Amino acid sequence: MRTAFYISDGTGITAEVFGHALLSLFPAEFDHITIPFVETEELALQVKQRINDRYKTTGVRPLVFQTFVDDKLRLIINSSEGSCYDFLNAFVEPMQKELGILAMPKTHRTHSIHEKTYDFRIDAVNFALANDDGSNLKDYAKADIILVGVSRSGKTPTSLYLALQYGIKAANYPFVPEDLDHLKLPNELRLHKNKLFGLTITPERLSQIREQRRPGSKYASLRQCKLELDEVEALYQKERIAYLNSTHLSIEEISAKIMAQTGLKRQKY
């Protein structure tokens, strides 16, 4: 198995994002190793040795995705036995020409705390936690979006991802089996109908997810899952609530599609 290193003098998040995006194009398995905060030449030399040792052990050059601001550290890693891909510096020179200004590299700039940005994200996360699973209906006027759907259709993780990644205040509300005989929008939701966005999923996948939580239960049965989803999707269509099937989508993909379909904007970069 080929090894992929993600190395940076910062958090390593940028190297991971770019590296994973590239590797996802190739039908192969990789052993992923992230090494953040390589901020001194001593640490860089240690990482270089680790890359070289992996090459000696496997006989295959490791892939090294890096985002170094410090040129000395970058050159140390580049001198390793790995196949190195330098994302930041590959674009610096052409961007300098395009913008007509020189880059001013600063360690940790891409993921350091920008006070307003950080506050937006923390406030949004706190909002998502306080308004999870219909636990608090009083704050819906403050919500940017209210996710609705049956239990275990992906509402909670999507709400948290929207908060953390985009600074979106997302509440979520579950339609429970007790509601299904006479399923209708509760008054609290109808008051904010313009903020509603539905999630759905295939009965088979929902049953699998619920089976892990409550094995052998009626809650997890395929029949119950199909009944709930049929009722909820009929409600979406009746009330003209936009919705998305999450079956084959990651949380990242669900969130990005919601942002695109609703026109919500990222609060701060």
Side-chain angles (χ1 to χ4, degrees), residues 152-264:
R152 312 308 286 180
S153 57
K155 300 182 303 300
T156 294
T158 302
S159 296
L160 289 170
Y161 189 86
L162 285 168
L164 188 59
Q165 185 67 21
Y166 297 100
I168 296 297
K169 290 184 177 179
N172 73 80
Y173 182 94
F175 294 121
V176 296
E178 291 76 14
D179 296 332
L180 296 181
D181 289 338
H182 304 285
L183 186 58
K184 61 181 182 179
L185 284 181
N187 289 334
E188 292 84 355
L189 293 183
R190 188 168 293 281
L191 287 172
H192 305 285
K193 187 177 173 182
N194 63 316
K195 298 181 181 181
L196 300 185
F197 192 95
L199 292 180
T200 189
I201 190 172
T202 63
E204 293 77 13
R205 180 57 182 150
L206 182 61
S207 178
Q208 290 175 355
I209 294 171
R210 289 183 172 184
E211 187 68 26
Q212 294 174 1
R213 189 176 187 185
R214 298 184 195 171
S217 64
K218 177 183 176 182
Y219 167 78
S221 70
L222 184 60
R223 183 177 181 277
Q224 179 65 27
C225 292
K226 187 176 188 307
L227 172 66
E228 292 182 31
L229 290 166
D230 285 347
E231 291 290 329
V232 168
E233 289 179 19
L235 179 68
Y236 293 158
Q237 293 169 12
K238 176 184 176 182
E239 297 288 350
R240 297 183 179 180
I241 297 170
Y243 67 98
L244 179 68
N245 191 311
S246 66
T247 305
H248 302 295
L249 301 174
S250 66
I251 297 302
E252 295 87 346
E253 290 171 320
I254 295 169
S255 300
K257 284 179 177 290
I258 289 173
M259 294 292 288
Q261 289 188 34
T262 61
L264 286 170

Side-chain angles (χ1 to χ4, degrees), residues 3 8 15 24 52 73 82 94 107 119 133 181 183 196 198 221 225 243:
T3 302
S8 177
S24 69
N52 293 346
L73 304 180
T107 306
D119 288 346
D133 223 19
D181 289 338
L183 186 58
L196 300 185
S221 70
C225 292
Y243 67 98

Side-chain angles (χ1 to χ4, degrees), residues 51-104:
I51 295 168
N52 293 346
D53 289 343
R54 181 57 64 101
Y55 175 55
K56 291 177 184 177
T57 301
T58 63
V60 181
R61 295 178 72 194
L63 305 174
V64 180
F65 302 102
Q66 55 167 293
T67 53
F68 280 99
V69 170
D70 189 311
D71 286 337
K72 291 180 181 179
L73 304 180
R74 176 168 53 84
L75 291 173
I76 290 173
I77 300 302
N78 282 345
S79 68
S80 72
E81 296 292 345
S83 178
C84 297
Y85 302 90
D86 180 4
F87 292 118
L88 290 184
N89 286 284
F91 300 102
V92 170
E93 187 174 345
M95 286 201 70
Q96 286 181 151
K97 291 179 179 178
E98 179 64 28
L99 296 174
I101 56 176
L102 293 176
M104 299 179 65

Side-chain angles (χ1 to χ4, degrees), residues 43 45 48 145 192 238:
L43 287 173
L45 288 168
K48 174 184 173 178
I145 191 170
H192 305 285
K238 176 184 176 182

